[in-house]
Amino acid sequence: MLTMKPIMERAFELAASGKFRVPSEVCKALLDEGYTQSDVFTLGGKATTAQIRARCMKVAGE
């Protein structure tokens, strides 16, 4: 059985990968990887979304 990383950890990894520009793209990728809509919903808070956005922008701005 494959154990998935905690969704927050994986979201930050994806955001820092440089492949995504905005949090919604990260969320789509998480769904594609097999995380549930309920899991992804937990990332919808203002603070979490801001952290994901900042990681996406940091890579884009480098």
Side-chain angles (χ1 to χ4, degrees), residues 27-46:
C27 290
K28 169 83 170 78
L30 290 165
L31 290 170
D32 292 345
E33 288 185 3
Y35 289 91
T36 67
Q37 185 68 41
S38 179
D39 291 334
V40 172
F41 183 75
T42 65
L43 301 174
K46 288 182 182 181

Side-chain angles (χ1 to χ4, degrees), residues 18 20-21 55-62:
F20 307 100
R21 297 176 306 153
R55 289 169 195 251
C56 289
M57 290 172 50
K58 180 178 180 188
V59 174
E62 290 181 345

Side-chain angles (χ1 to χ4, degrees), residues 3-40:
T3 303
M4 297 173 78
K5 290 183 180 184
I7 192 162
M8 185 84 67
E9 179 181 344
R10 185 63 183 137
F12 288 160
E13 287 177 352
L14 290 172
S17 72
K19 296 178 183 178
F20 307 100
R21 297 176 306 153
V22 293
S24 61
E25 293 175 351
V26 173
C27 290
K28 169 83 170 78
L30 290 165
L31 290 170
D32 292 345
E33 288 185 3
Y35 289 91
T36 67
Q37 185 68 41
S38 179
D39 291 334
V40 172

